């Protein structure tokens, strides 16, 4: 175990931040698989799921382009709260509906499992 902590860095805070990043990446991978299986259970085809993921990547790329300006406008705390609220609303939509349009919008807005911070 000492080898793992030494590999992560010398300072305890750096180690914990790097470990949190590793765990977040693992969980995002799990989220992509889980979301794919959920959509398949709802009757989506593999092509439709792939198209949703491709479209989500494009939407996230466009949103990322404006993240700096939005962060400067709102401030870091409000920006993070907005992002978390958007994710929570998207999760609620995924929970309560099976509408293809609503699911697509929720996945594109929150990008479940697509590693954007």
């Amino acid at each position: 175990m000492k080898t793992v902590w030494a590999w992560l860095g010398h300072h305890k805070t750096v180690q914990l931040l790097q470990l949190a990043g590793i765990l977040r990446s693992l969980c995002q991978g799990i989220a992509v698989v889980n979301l794919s299986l959920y959509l398949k259970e709802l009757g989506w085809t593999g092509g439709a799921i792939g198209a949703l993921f491709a479209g989500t990547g494009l939407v996230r790329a466009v949103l990322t382009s404006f993240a700096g300006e939005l962060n400067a406008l709102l401030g870091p705390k409000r920006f993070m709260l907005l992002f978390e609220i958007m994710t929570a609303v998207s999760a609620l939509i995924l929970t309560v509906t099976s509408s293809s349009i609503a699911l697509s919008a929720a996945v594109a807005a929150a990008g479940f499992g697509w590693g954007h911070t």
Side-chain angles (χ1 to χ4, degrees):
M1 192 65 176
K2 284 186 176 183
T3 307
V4 172
W5 287 114
W7 175 72
L8 289 175
H10 297 293
H11 196 273
K12 186 71 171 173
T13 304
V14 172
Q15 292 174 347
L16 291 175
L17 287 171
Q18 288 178 333
L19 186 60
I22 290 168
L23 291 174
R24 185 172 198 266
S25 294
L26 287 171
C27 290
Q28 286 174 338
I30 292 168
V32 169
V33 172
N34 194 22
L35 181 60
S36 301
L37 293 174
Y38 175 65
L39 293 174
K40 184 154 179 63
E41 281 294 315
L42 289 176
W44 287 45
T45 64
I49 294 169
L52 175 65
F53 286 163
T56 298
L58 293 173
V59 168
R60 299 311 297 176
V62 169
L63 291 177
T64 302
S65 301
F66 299 107
E69 289 81 13
L70 193 57
N71 186 17
L73 180 68
L74 296 175
K77 184 177 179 180
R78 286 190 177 129
F79 178 73
M80 286 303 296
L81 285 172
L82 175 67
F83 179 77
E84 293 301 327
I85 289 169
M86 185 173 66
T87 302
V89 169
S90 297
L92 182 64
I93 290 170
L94 281 173
T95 304
V96 300
T97 188
S98 61
S99 166
S100 297
I101 294 172
L103 291 174
S104 298
V107 171
F112 295 103
W114 285 93
H116 39 274
T117 53

